[in-house]
Amino acid sequence: MEPVYRGLGRCVCCFWLAVAFDIVGLAVLLIGVFVNVFFYDLLIYAGAIVIFLSLIWWVFWYSGNIEVPPAELEDDVGLLKKDKGRVSGISSAVRRLSSRMSSGIRNSLRRNGGPSSTHTARAQRSSGGPPVAPQAEQVTVAMATMTLQGATPHTTPAVGCVVEMQHATTLTLPT
């Protein structure tokens, strides 16, 4: 037999925390409004914030006291009755199709994992040794500082073409 809750319901602790937050927040706010202190604005804002935080406890108390009959819970937890007829057949077919599609998508994401660099790591791992991190490609980037006086330009080959630069510096970054 289920216990019968009266008065404040099941979540009494959340109720009293909400009331305490409201009382403390209102007291701090009113002190900030009516007492002549130099930090009155801090008290006003702090009181308002504490009252706002009491809303969390009020939502917990309210949602903890919502009563749902077991007949309405059957559909939510997957306990469908067999004698519902055609509606049950359609909904079970849709449910099966949905679970097949979601598991197929989930499995394909697990199988394909990510970018192509993970495929090389998987191939190295399957060859028998310990897992090896994939080697990052290195890209050479040419950086130039331009001066207008007295420098003679020279050529530096980069990616199959010739680029003229004044004073060139190269930087190698892993990708």
Side-chain angles (χ1 to χ4, degrees):
M1 181 174 176
E2 285 189 39
V4 177
Y5 296 101
R6 294 186 182 163
L8 299 177
R10 284 181 234 147
C11 303
V12 178
C13 182
C14 291
F15 176 82
W16 289 115
L17 277 170
V19 169
F21 270 58
D22 280 338
I23 291 171
V24 169
L26 186 64
V28 170
L29 187 127
L30 291 177
I31 288 171
V33 170
F34 292 113
V35 175
N36 189 12
V37 291
F38 69 93
F39 54 93
Y40 67 92
D41 53 347
L42 173 73
L43 294 175
I44 292 171
Y45 288 130
I49 290 171
V50 171
I51 291 172
F52 177 75
L53 291 177
S54 77
L55 290 174
I56 296 170
W57 298 112
W58 285 116
V59 168
F60 284 167
W61 175 75
Y62 180 77
S63 61
N65 286 313
I66 294 176
E67 303 247 350
V68 180
E72 290 183 26
L73 284 176
E74 287 178 348
D75 290 339
D76 292 340
V77 295
L79 301 173
L80 296 175
K81 292 183 178 177
K82 300 293 180 191
D83 60 351
K84 285 190 178 180
R86 182 180 170 136
V87 176
S88 176
I90 292 173
S91 64
S92 66
V94 169
R95 198 173 291 225
R96 279 194 310 262
L97 177 66
S98 171
S99 67
R100 283 183 191 164
M101 287 178 63
S102 62
S103 65
I105 291 170
R106 190 178 318 117
N107 290 336
S108 70
L109 289 175
R110 286 182 188 155
R111 203 173 30 247
N112 295 335
S116 61
S117 63
T118 58
H119 294 298
T120 58
R122 195 175 292 149
Q124 289 173 351
R125 198 175 331 133
S126 64
S127 64
V132 178
Q135 297 294 326
E137 284 185 35
Q138 292 187 351
V139 177
T140 303
V141 178
M143 297 170 48
T145 54
M146 302 299 289
T147 58
L148 296 176
Q149 300 172 353
T152 59
H154 66 277
T155 60
T156 304
V159 192
C161 64
V162 177
V163 177
E164 286 192 14
M165 290 183 270
Q166 292 292 331
H167 299 281
T169 309
T170 57
L171 174 67
T172 305
L173 298 173
T175 56

